[in-house]
C-alpha cells in the first residue's frame, strides 16, 4: 500500500478484497464514521469501530425497511425479517425461529455428522480437492435443504440461484442473473402451490400453513423468507468453513493444538468468526430521521453500513486482534450481528462449522494448500467474505 494513499482511496480495491484489515486499522484511527460512495454508486456512512458498530446495530433510529425513508424495495425477495422493523420483524422472525431453537439444532448433530462423513468419504480416492465445491458448500446446502424440504435433486439449482441473488444484491443484473431469478421465482411459486395442497413436516410447509391460518404471510414474504434462509442458511457456513481452514493453514501451531485437543473446537469456531468472519458488512440500515450520531449529522434516508470484520479487529475491544488464537477468552464478536437482527441461524452455523472442521482434521490430518495463499481469489461484493476455491492436497505427509 502506498504511504500517500488514504484509507478512503483503498477501500473496495482488489488489494482490499484480498486483505482489508490494514485499511480497516487506518479507518478506525482516522475516520471511524466515514461518509463515502459505495461500489454500487450510493453514498452513505461506513462504521468501522467496535463501539460505534454495536451502537448502530442496536439503535432503533436506524431502520431496515427502506420504504420508511422514501425508497422502494428493489427486489421481490426484500420482504423478510432481516429487512423489516418492528412489528413486522417480530411477526416474520417468530414464524421461523421455532425451527432454530437450541434444542432443535442440537437434535441435528447426528445428521450433520453423517453428512460430513459421507462427503469426506466421497473424496477419499482423490489426491486433491476444491474444499469449497467438494465440502464447504455441500454440507450446509444439504442441511438447509432438508430443513426447508428442498428435494435432493434440486439442491444444485439452489446454489446457482443463491449466487445469482447475491449478484442482485451487489447490483449485478446480467441476462444470466435475471434468467436465474425468473427460474427461482417460478420454482418457488410451483413449490408453494404443491405444499398448499399437500403440506409436509418441513419448514416451508409450516410457513405456508401459517399463511393459510391467518398469519398474513404474503407471497412476497414467502419469497423473502425462503431466499433469506437459503443465503443465510448456507452462505455464512460455507465461508465460515473456508475461512476457518485458511486460518488453520496460516497458523499451523493452532491447527496442531486443535487436532490434539478436538474439544477446543467451540472456542476455535468463535475465533474463526472473529478473525476473518464470513460476513464482511452488515446489511443496509437507513437513518429514519434527521439525527446526529457521535457528532456526525445524518439526514433522513442516509445509508449506514457496519464493517463487521473491522469491528472484530478493533484493538480497543480485543487484545492482539491480528493474531488467530483459538484459546482466546470468549469474545463478543459481531460476526452474527447484534440486537434484534442477531442472526437466527447462528447456533446451526456454529454446529455445522464445528462438525465440518473437526471431521476434516480427523479424516485428513495432513491436508495442505495446493499453491500459495496469495493466489486465492476472493469473492467480490459487500456481502460474504470468502474465496472462490481452496485447492487442497488431502494426504500429503
Amino acid at each position: 500500500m502506498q504511504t500517500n494513499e488514504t484509507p478512503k482511496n483503498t477501500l473496495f480495491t482488489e488489494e482490499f478484497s484480498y486483505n482489508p484489515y490494514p485499511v480497516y486499522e487506518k479507518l478506525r484511527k482516522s475516520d471511524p464514521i466515514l461518509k463515502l460512495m459505495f461500489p454500487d454508486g450510493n453514498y452513505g456512512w461506513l462504521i468501522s469501530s467496535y463501539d460505534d458498530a454495536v451502537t448502530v446495530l442496536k439503535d432503533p433510529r436506524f431502520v431496515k425497511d427502506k420504504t420508511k425513508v422514501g425508497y422502494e424495495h428493489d427486489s421481490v425477495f426484500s420482504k423478510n425479517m432481516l429487512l423489516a422493523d418492528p412489528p413486522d420483524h417480530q411477526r416474520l422472525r417468530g414464524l421461523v425461529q421455532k425451527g432454530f431453537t437450541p434444542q432443535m439444532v442440537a437434535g441435528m448433530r447426528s445428521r450433520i455428522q453423517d453428512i460430513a462423513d459421507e462427503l469426506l468419504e466421497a473424496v477419499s480416492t482423490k489426491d486433491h480437492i476444491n474444499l469449497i465445491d467438494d465440502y464447504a458448500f455441500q454440507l450446509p446446502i444439504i442441511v438447509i435443504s432438508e430443513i426447508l424440504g428442498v428435494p435432493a435433486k434440486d439442491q444444485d439449482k439452489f446454489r446457482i440461484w443463491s449466487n445469482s441473488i447475491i449478484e442482485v444484491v451487489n447490483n449485478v443484473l446480467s441476462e444470466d442473473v435475471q434468467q436465474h431469478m425468473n427460474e427461482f421465482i417460478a420454482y418457488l411459486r410451483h413449490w408453494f402451490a404443491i405444499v398448499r395442497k399437500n403440506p409436509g413436516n418441513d419448514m416451508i410447509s409450516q410457513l405456508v400453513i401459517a399463511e393459510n391460518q391467518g398469519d398474513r404471510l404474503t407471497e412476497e414474504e414467502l419469497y423473502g423468507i425462503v431466499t433469506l434462509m437459503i443465503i443465510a442458511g448456507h452462505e455464512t457456513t460455507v465461508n465460515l468453513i473456508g475461512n476457518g481452514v485458511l486460518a488453520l493453514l496460516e497458523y499451523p501451531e493452532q491447527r496442531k493444538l486443535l487436532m490434539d485437543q478436538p474439544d477446543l473446537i467451540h472456542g476455535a469456531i468463535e475465533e474463526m468468526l472473529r478473525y476473518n468472519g464470513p460476513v464482511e458488512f452488515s446489511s443496509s440500515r437507513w437513518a429514519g430521521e434527521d439525527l446526529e450520531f457521535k457528532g456526525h449529522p445524518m439526514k433522513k434516508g442516509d445509508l449506514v453500513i457496519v464493517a463487521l470484520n473491522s469491528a472484530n479487529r478493533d484493538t480497543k475491544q480485543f487484545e492482539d486482534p491480528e493474531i488467530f488464537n483459538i484459546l482466546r477468552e470468549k469474545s463478543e464478536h459481531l460476526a452474527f450481528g447484534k440486537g434484534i437482527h442477531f442472526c437466527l441461524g447462528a447456533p446451526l452455523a456454529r454446529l455445522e462449522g464445528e462438525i465440518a472442521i473437526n471431521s476434516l482434521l480427523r479424516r485428513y490430518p495432513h491436508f495442505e494448500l495446493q499453491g500459495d495463499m496469495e493466489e486465492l481469489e476472493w469473492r467480490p461484493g459487500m456481502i460474504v467474505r470468502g474465496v472462490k476455491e481452496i485447492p487442497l492436497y488431502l494426504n500429503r505427509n
Side-chain angles (χ1 to χ4, degrees), residues 57-121:
L57 294 174
K58 298 174 71 173
D59 192 332
R61 295 180 301 170
F62 298 108
V63 300
K64 301 300 293 290
D65 183 352
K66 64 196 299 184
T67 64
K68 291 182 176 180
V69 292
Y71 298 104
E72 295 182 358
H73 284 307
D74 47 17
S75 169
V76 70
F77 309 115
S78 297
K79 291 192 175 182
N80 60 65
M81 56 271 196
L82 183 62
L83 304 180
D85 300 302
D88 278 345
H89 172 264
Q90 291 96 320
R91 176 176 65 89
L92 296 173
R93 189 178 177 102
L95 289 168
V96 178
Q97 66 183 4
K98 56 189 173 184
F100 292 93
T101 64
Q103 295 82 1
M104 291 288 291
V105 171
M108 299 177 66
R109 176 178 289 274
S110 176
R111 176 57 185 148
I112 296 172
Q113 185 64 65
D114 287 345
I115 294 169
D117 291 341
E118 290 166 7
L119 291 170
L120 292 172
E121 174 62 26

Side-chain angles (χ1 to χ4, degrees), residues 25-230:
E25 183 178 6
K26 290 186 176 183
L27 272 183
R28 290 192 301 270
K29 293 177 180 177
S30 63
D31 297 290
I33 304 171
L34 176 67
K35 191 166 189 180
L36 76 165
M37 185 174 73
F38 288 101
D40 62 4
N42 289 319
Y43 277 92
W45 299 88
L46 183 66
I47 312 299
S48 56
S49 75
Y50 184 91
D51 286 343
D52 292 341
V54 171
T55 302
V56 167
L57 294 174
K58 298 174 71 173
D59 192 332
R61 295 180 301 170
F62 298 108
V63 300
K64 301 300 293 290
D65 183 352
K66 64 196 299 184
T67 64
K68 291 182 176 180
V69 292
Y71 298 104
E72 295 182 358
H73 284 307
D74 47 17
S75 169
V76 70
F77 309 115
S78 297
K79 291 192 175 182
N80 60 65
M81 56 271 196
L82 183 62
L83 304 180
D85 300 302
D88 278 345
H89 172 264
Q90 291 96 320
R91 176 176 65 89
L92 296 173
R93 189 178 177 102
L95 289 168
V96 178
Q97 66 183 4
K98 56 189 173 184
F100 292 93
T101 64
Q103 295 82 1
M104 291 288 291
V105 171
M108 299 177 66
R109 176 178 289 274
S110 176
R111 176 57 185 148
I112 296 172
Q113 185 64 65
D114 287 345
I115 294 169
D117 291 341
E118 290 166 7
L119 291 170
L120 292 172
E121 174 62 26
V123 298
S124 61
T125 60
K126 298 182 178 181
D127 177 56
H128 60 274
I129 63 169
N130 172 8
L131 182 79
I132 299 298
D133 285 349
D134 294 329
Y135 189 53
F137 167 77
Q138 298 290 343
L139 186 147
I141 196 64
I142 293 172
V143 173
I144 196 63
S145 293
E146 291 184 357
I147 291 173
L148 292 173
V150 178
K153 65 182 178 61
D154 294 332
Q155 289 170 10
D156 285 342
K157 296 178 186 176
F158 270 70
R159 181 181 191 184
I160 296 172
W161 293 333
S162 174
N163 287 335
S164 290
I165 292 167
I166 289 177
E167 293 296 293
V168 170
V169 177
N170 287 330
N171 288 314
V172 178
L173 298 174
S174 66
E175 287 187 15
D176 285 346
V177 168
Q178 188 59 56
Q179 179 183 341
H180 294 155
M181 291 300 88
N182 292 339
E183 291 172 357
F184 184 49
I185 292 170
Y187 181 94
L188 291 181
R189 187 177 293 121
H190 178 67
W191 186 7
F192 295 156
I194 292 175
V195 168
R196 287 188 182 100
K197 295 178 180 178
N198 188 26
N201 296 319
D202 54 84
M203 184 169 288
I204 294 302
S205 294
Q206 293 172 12
L207 292 172
V208 170
I209 292 170
E211 178 195 20
N212 289 337
Q213 292 175 350
D215 266 333
R216 297 180 292 110
L217 267 183
T218 67
E219 191 89 352
E220 283 193 346
E221 286 173 339
L222 281 170
Y223 292 152
I225 289 175
V226 173
T227 302
L228 178 63
M229 297 281 288
I230 292 167

Side-chain angles (χ1 to χ4, degrees), residues 242-259:
N243 295 357
V245 168
L246 291 180
L248 294 176
L249 288 165
E250 184 182 359
Y251 287 83
E253 76 285 355
Q254 297 291 301
R255 173 180 172 179
K256 184 178 187 307
L257 182 61
L258 183 56
M259 289 175 63

Side-chain angles (χ1 to χ4, degrees), residues 362-382:
R362 182 173 60 249
R363 182 65 186 267
Y364 300 108
H366 304 293
F367 68 79
E368 293 180 8
L369 186 65
Q370 182 181 354
D372 297 324
M373 200 81 74
E374 293 77 13
E375 297 173 349
L376 299 175
E377 184 179 357
W378 290 85
R379 296 174 64 177
M382 292 185 59

